[in-house]
Amino acid sequence: MAAFFCKIGGSVGDIGEIKFGFNAPEDAYTDIADELGVTAIKERADRRGVAFGINYPKPPKVRINYGDRELLGDDNNRSCLRFCDPDKLGQVLNGSLNDKKVTVNGIEFPIRSVSMPQA
């Protein structure tokens, strides 16, 4: 597991900004972190100002749809959820991840599409 953060809120000069901290598998954001606005926390000093364990507010999650090479037929559609910076949400939903790959359980898969999960 690795630590990450995603910015929430803020406006001019990032006043009122919250850095939402969370843990995820180390490779969960490989190749897609910049587009989703997620930053890896590498050292203990980088945790300064990051809020872990808060329930509200949380950044939105996006559903990343990908194909599983191991399965044939119509059953090869899979998806995973990832946090996304609210300021990057429009770009992500409009295809900024379509040429990228998502890593799930240590295996890279080509991204087919991105959507918002149903509540």
Side-chain angles (χ1 to χ4, degrees):
M1 292 297 255
F4 298 90
F5 74 84
C6 184
K7 295 179 182 177
I8 307 171
S11 55
V12 178
D14 293 330
I15 296 171
E17 175 184 84
I18 296 172
K19 292 180 181 177
F20 177 83
F22 61 97
N23 293 312
E26 284 187 39
D27 56 3
Y29 288 89
T30 300
D31 196 37
I32 59 174
D34 289 339
E35 284 80 9
L36 293 175
V38 172
T39 304
I41 300 173
K42 296 181 178 90
E43 298 190 20
R44 188 156 185 88
D46 294 340
R47 293 177 181 248
R48 184 182 316 237
V50 178
F52 282 89
I54 61 173
N55 291 324
Y56 182 82
K58 284 187 178 181
K61 289 183 180 180
V62 293
R63 180 175 303 282
I64 299 175
N65 303 296
Y66 62 92
D68 189 340
R69 295 185 292 252
E70 303 296 320
L71 299 175
L72 300 173
D74 293 334
D75 291 338
N76 68 349
N77 293 323
R78 298 284 183 255
S79 67
C80 60
L81 296 175
R82 298 288 188 261
F83 283 114
C84 182
D85 182 326
D87 293 336
K88 304 256 184 173
L89 192 57
Q91 296 169 345
V92 169
L93 293 176
N94 285 315
S96 70
L97 292 180
N98 287 352
D99 61 342
K100 303 285 184 180
K101 295 185 180 205
V102 64
T103 304
V104 179
N105 295 328
I107 302 171
E108 281 189 344
F109 297 99
I111 295 174
R112 291 186 174 172
S113 64
V114 180
S115 61
M116 293 293 293
Q118 293 181 356

